[in-house]
Amino acid sequence: MIKAEWFYWLVGLSFLVMASQMVTDRSNPKRYGTGAFWGLIGAGFIYSSWVVTKQAPAEPLGVAVLVMAGLAGFGFTGRGTPRTTTAEERAASAARFGNRLFVPALTIPVVAMACAIGVKNLSFGGEPVLQTGSETILGLGIGAVVALVVGMVMLREKRLSVPVQSGRSMLEAMGWAMLLPQMLATLGAIFQVSGVGDQVGKLTTSILPKDSLVIAIVVYCVGMFAFTIIMGNAFAAFPVMTAAVGWPVLIGHFHGNAAAVLAIGMLAGFCGTLVTPMAANFNIVPAALLELKDQYGPIKAQLPTAGVLLGCNIVIMTLFAF
Amino acid sequence: MIVLLGVLVVVLGFATKRNPLLVVGVAGIATGLLGGLSPGKVLAAFGEGFAGSRAVTIFAITLPVIGLLERYGLQEQARNLIARFGRLTTGRFLALYLGLRQLGAAVGLTNVFGHAQTVRPLAVPMAEGAAERKYGALPDRTREKVRSFSASADNIGLFFGEDVFLAVGSILLITGFVNTTYGTHLEPLHLALWAIPTAVCAFVVHGWRLLRLDRQLERDLLTADVQPGPAVEAAQ
């Protein structure tokens, strides 16, 4: 059985290799801090396998995570000068290879799709080929490895160091943004165990008038929206707002259609995801990946759509759920 | 009530533009301690959080191959390809991308597109290429706008497509939470059906805004031609 952990190890290992390249890169004025940051992430990726199965203590990893946050947060990381081709070389290479260049890039989605649809149902000797529940992640990982092989053969590139160096440049360009989604997931978990959700639920219930359907709908949807902005994740907001308003008031008191109320409520939360820096993997990481000067560029592009769609959700729920 | 101070730390931190990693680290420690966790428990929470959320970083596995292809001119070829489709403007191309992303997500292919594997190497060069063909080299400000809207097309397509698919995380979270907490029985299929009206709204609203982007680009770039250089910056 192909396991998701193998790909986490592969990612961790490639971070470690890239970290060693970073330390020796004299064009980066902060090479030691940068190398330490990515080295810790890489080691953390591998060590995590045993944390997940509870065979190793999580505290040392927690210390490492806070050290990484400190390294990046206090400006100890930087980036070197990427070793790459010139614009002329790229244009010449594009002319030479033409649309064949798309073949490896398209290999990733094609393999991901094949794994999600076809290989998912295959089993070998009574065991599923792909670890159950991780098919899409495995598809992405297998797709990337196959694409790398296809690309290197097609481009007649024999040095594995070339793609590793290119990947490293992209990592350095993203910098701390790369760690933020995992940090935010952690924050969400801490908020949960510390009872932040219960407190917000109590606050909402105390200010909600019980006799107006429209106000209750607006409070549920806007609450999902606002709480998602704070938590960065509609999944964290959903249990809180549903326990406070959705289930007792909208479904219990006003007899709404449960499936409609809850599905549309979740989508109101997704509108919040579009406008919050806390949803870093959707909003901040792409800004870094696309080398934007304004890290809030994607949020600004999404803000009007998110506002209109929040209104749409309120209207759809009012019209069809009761 | 005092645990809500952690939320305040986050809001203040982002409002004053501190480094987000520090903001989140401090907010996590503060909330954990105020919520009665021991320092060791807080550390363990950070460790477990990192370990449990590695899936969001797995896209890094695609970076070497994308970097390799970019080195050999992938972005340039994406521009060349789009230049052949004369009627495909930036806005029309991004609206098409939005539709494909939504349809893909709606049939469960949430990892088929994405910022690292599709938006940076393919969608952005194509969207920029369509504008460049019409207006020539783009000023930085316009380039930022096109890239921001490319990122938005991917996000909105994903969010408002995936809930139409039964086996996606959010649908399973809803049924799991409600069925265990309230002892009822909700079918994923019904939830997925109720996601369709919003999905249609999302396509219409954001698709319309993407098409309007063409007009904005035209206005921005034609005024830029009249007053080139720093004069434009000052006027804005």
Side-chain angles (χ1 to χ4, degrees):
Chain A
M1 180 165 73
I2 302 175
K3 293 196 171 103
E5 288 299 330
W6 300 354
F7 287 92
Y8 292 131
W9 295 341
L10 185 61
V11 172
L13 193 67
S14 50
F15 283 173
L16 285 172
V17 172
M18 289 173 186
S20 68
Q21 292 177 336
M22 288 170 191
V23 171
T24 54
D25 178 3
R26 288 179 191 281
S27 70
N28 182 354
K30 296 172 175 172
R31 58 198 171 113
Y32 294 113
T34 317
F37 179 76
W38 291 103
L40 279 172
I41 295 191
F45 251 74
I46 298 169
Y47 182 80
S48 291
S49 296
W50 288 274
V51 173
V52 169
T53 56
K54 309 235 176 270
Q55 288 167 300
E59 288 85 354
L61 187 57
V63 174
V65 170
L66 291 178
V67 171
M68 290 176 222
L71 280 172
F74 292 112
F76 289 107
T77 58
R79 57 190 291 197
T81 316
R83 269 183 258 164
T84 183
T85 43
T86 62
E88 291 75 32
E89 284 171 327
R90 285 172 193 231
S93 166
R96 183 168 149 230
F97 289 103
N99 289 336
R100 274 186 293 159
L101 280 168
F102 296 124
V103 172
L106 295 174
T107 302
I108 303 175
V110 168
V111 173
M113 205 185 306
C115 288
I117 297 170
V119 186
K120 184 181 176 181
N121 301 318
L122 293 183
S123 56
F124 185 78
E127 240 192 324
V129 175
L130 302 177
Q131 187 181 348
T132 314
S134 302
E135 292 90 351
T136 55
I137 285 178
L138 286 171
L140 187 67
I142 297 169
V145 173
V146 174
L148 184 60
V149 173
V150 171
M152 292 189 71
V153 170
M154 193 188 85
L155 300 167
R156 296 172 200 273
E157 178 61 72
K158 293 190 183 61
R159 296 159 298 174
L160 190 59
S161 62
V162 170
V164 175
Q165 288 281 4
S166 314
R168 170 172 80 96
S169 298
M170 286 167 81
L171 276 192
E172 284 183 356
M174 286 199 266
W176 55 262
M178 194 71 190
L179 184 63
L180 190 55
Q182 284 189 257
M183 282 291 279
L184 287 161
T186 309
L187 183 65
I190 293 179
F191 274 12
Q192 200 72 25
V193 293
S194 305
V196 171
D198 299 340
Q199 291 296 341
V200 174
K202 277 183 200 152
L203 267 181
T204 320
T205 325
S206 65
I207 56 168
L208 178 73
K210 292 263 188 249
D211 50 354
S212 164
L213 173 63
V214 175
I215 290 179
I217 291 174
V218 170
V219 168
Y220 184 51
C221 290
V222 175
M224 278 296 297
F225 180 77
F227 201 40
T228 302
I229 290 177
I230 294 169
M231 301 287 283
N233 190 336
F235 293 6
F238 182 79
V240 176
M241 290 310 300
T242 301
V245 185
W247 191 268
V249 181
L250 291 177
I251 297 168
H253 184 68
F254 288 108
H255 307 292
N257 172 344
V261 168
L262 301 174
I264 298 167
M266 181 64 100
L267 291 165
F270 284 7
C271 297
T273 317
L274 290 174
V275 298
T276 176
M278 294 287 278
N281 46 333
F282 297 112
N283 296 328
I284 305 288
V285 171
L289 199 57
L290 303 178
E291 290 159 17
L292 296 181
K293 288 193 206 80
D294 180 3
Q295 60 169 329
Y296 298 129
I299 291 180
K300 287 175 188 162
Q302 287 159 191
L303 193 63
T305 303
V308 174
L309 286 180
L310 176 64
C312 289
N313 281 317
I314 292 172
V315 171
I316 293 170
M317 196 186 287
T318 313
L319 291 181
F320 301 112
F322 293 91
Chain B
M1 289 305 277
I2 198 153
V3 293
L4 291 180
L5 286 175
V7 177
L8 195 66
V9 171
V10 173
V11 174
L12 284 179
F14 276 111
T16 55
K17 299 198 169 178
R18 310 270 167 204
N19 180 288
L21 280 185
L22 280 184
V23 173
V24 172
V26 172
I29 295 171
T31 308
L33 295 178
L34 290 173
L37 300 186
S38 69
K41 279 262 169 57
V42 173
L43 283 180
F46 273 102
E48 279 160 13
F50 179 92
S53 59
R54 284 172 297 161
V56 294
T57 310
I58 196 115
F59 74 89
I61 205 167
T62 62
L63 296 181
V65 63
I66 298 297
L68 175 75
L69 295 171
E70 286 189 354
R71 205 186 142 94
Y72 279 92
L74 179 67
Q75 295 198 354
E76 284 71 9
Q77 187 58 26
R79 287 196 168 86
N80 295 343
L81 181 70
I82 210 76
R84 282 193 227 144
F85 298 95
R87 294 173 56 83
L88 208 53
T89 60
T90 303
R92 286 179 195 164
F93 166 72
L94 288 178
L96 183 71
Y97 183 84
L98 171 71
L100 285 175
R101 180 68 161 131
Q102 249 189 320
L103 285 177
V107 294
L109 304 174
T110 48
N111 275 332
V112 167
F113 296 85
H115 294 287
Q117 60 273 42
T118 322
V119 178
R120 174 180 157 133
L122 299 172
V124 162
M126 287 182 168
E128 288 183 353
E132 281 164 355
R133 189 189 56 231
K134 211 164 165 191
Y135 307 107
L138 304 179
D140 277 355
R141 215 178 126 263
T142 311
R143 198 173 287 282
E144 290 250 325
K145 190 182 253 177
V146 171
R147 289 184 179 190
S148 297
F149 271 91
S150 306
S152 76
D154 194 88
N155 283 335
I156 291 168
L158 172 66
F159 292 1
F160 298 99
E162 65 172 2
D163 258 22
V164 179
F165 182 64
L166 309 182
V168 79
S170 55
I171 295 281
L172 299 178
L173 179 101
I174 296 175
T175 51
F177 173 73
V178 176
N179 292 349
T180 52
T181 314
Y182 303 109
T184 136
H185 190 76
L186 277 185
E187 282 292 334
L189 178 65
H190 294 139
L191 290 160
L193 286 176
W194 281 108
I196 294 175
T198 309
V200 172
C201 289
F203 182 71
V204 170
V205 171
H206 203 62
W208 181 74
R209 289 193 58 225
L210 290 170
L211 293 178
R212 249 180 43 121
L213 180 65
D214 284 334
R215 293 225 308 267
Q216 287 178 28
L217 293 181
E218 188 165 296
R219 206 174 49 221
D220 287 2
L221 294 169
L222 291 184
T223 44
D225 279 346
V226 183
Q227 300 172 285
V232 176
E233 294 282 314
Q236 282 147 359

